[in-house]
Amino acid sequence: MKGLYFQQSSTSEEITFVFQERENLPVTEDNYVKLQVKACALSQINTKLLTEMKMEKDFFPVGREVAGIVLDVGSKVSFFQPGDEVAGILPLDSEDPGLCEAVRVHEHYLVHKPEKVTWTEAAGTIRDGVRAYTALHYLSHLSPGKSVLIMDGASALGTIAIQLAHHRGAKVISTACSLEDKQCLERCRPSIARVIDVSNGKAQVAESCLEETGGLGVDIVLDAGVRLYSKDDEPAVKLQLLPHKHDIITLLGVGGHWVTTEENLQLDPPDSHCLFLKGATVAFLNDEVWNLSNVQQGKYLCILKDVMEKLSTGVFRPQLDEPIPLYEAKVTMEVVQKNQGRKKQVVQF
């Protein structure tokens, strides 16, 4: 039984993906479930976080967003039985790669998969669903009538976030990084209030948002990264597609919430003072926080269940690429790690 792993170079941040033969899984005990993997989605690996968590191994397992059939359960498992169709996200410290025929996982990381939902939909949506919920529900308290700016709305996360915001009755503004993305967003139903094309680097995001909201500013911003420095100090590509942090602060309304994916965000005293005057808040989107805190396990399971329910009812309609076989996972994962793909990639077994 082969599984996909990655090895990080000791001298650089580059990582190498390799298939390795695995031993048979141990006997399923206690609260653990043995799962036959039917689909596994591919996401970028945060090697920096693994280093900070001191998770040092020769080979790290690859693939965490899985969907499959329960083969066996431990004596203390109370939620599942053999034959159940389930989906979930393997924990950071999982010994097993999701990119393998079978894995062993604690039952608290799994939820039942509705019959209507396909394997690839379940695996391909579950993590972005968790991220969208964390950003819009827990970090910014989305409610009907709020205005929301979702940066890079045609991305895998952006798509689900837009659909969740619309479902909650919010007014959505989004940015597009290419003509193809702009056309994709303009086809969204319910329709997006305004699509801002930033592909040519000339769009004024702050001005467009203020114009759309009658000068009041938006209630919630979910960014896809921000520019921290002046034009001369950042790469051209990043400069072209990302707004400057000052633009985000400018377009925020009174009492607004800025949810950022920029883990190294730096705010100068004038920035903080402007946020203070607006009574605005900044929150960091780290979806791994659910894996790092056992106290929040109940909330996390509720999110996973709701993501599956919204897939089943058609609220979530993910943008997935064509499923790929396991033998192509190594090459595809290299592309995903370099952040070169747009649609979510899912391996189907």
Side-chain angles (χ1 to χ4, degrees), residues 234-250:
E234 298 217 44
V237 174
K238 187 169 186 179
L239 170 66
Q240 186 178 10
L241 301 181
L242 298 180
H244 195 281
K245 60 182 177 181
H246 296 151
D247 294 332
I248 301 290
I249 294 170
T250 300

Side-chain angles (χ1 to χ4, degrees), residues 246-304:
H246 296 151
D247 294 332
I248 301 290
I249 294 170
T250 300
L251 62 83
L252 266 181
V254 172
H257 301 279
W258 174 12
V259 181
T260 182
T261 58
E262 179 55 67
E263 61 184 62
N264 296 314
L265 180 67
Q266 297 176 31
L267 295 177
D268 302 317
D271 301 330
S272 299
H273 184 65
C274 189
L275 289 167
F276 167 77
L277 292 175
K278 293 185 175 191
T281 62
V282 179
F284 292 86
L285 178 56
N286 173 17
D287 53 303
E288 299 296 358
V289 73
W290 301 109
N291 271 308
L292 303 176
S293 172
N294 293 326
V295 178
Q296 304 290 342
Q297 200 68 48
K299 287 182 181 178
Y300 181 55
L301 285 175
C302 286
I303 294 174
L304 295 182

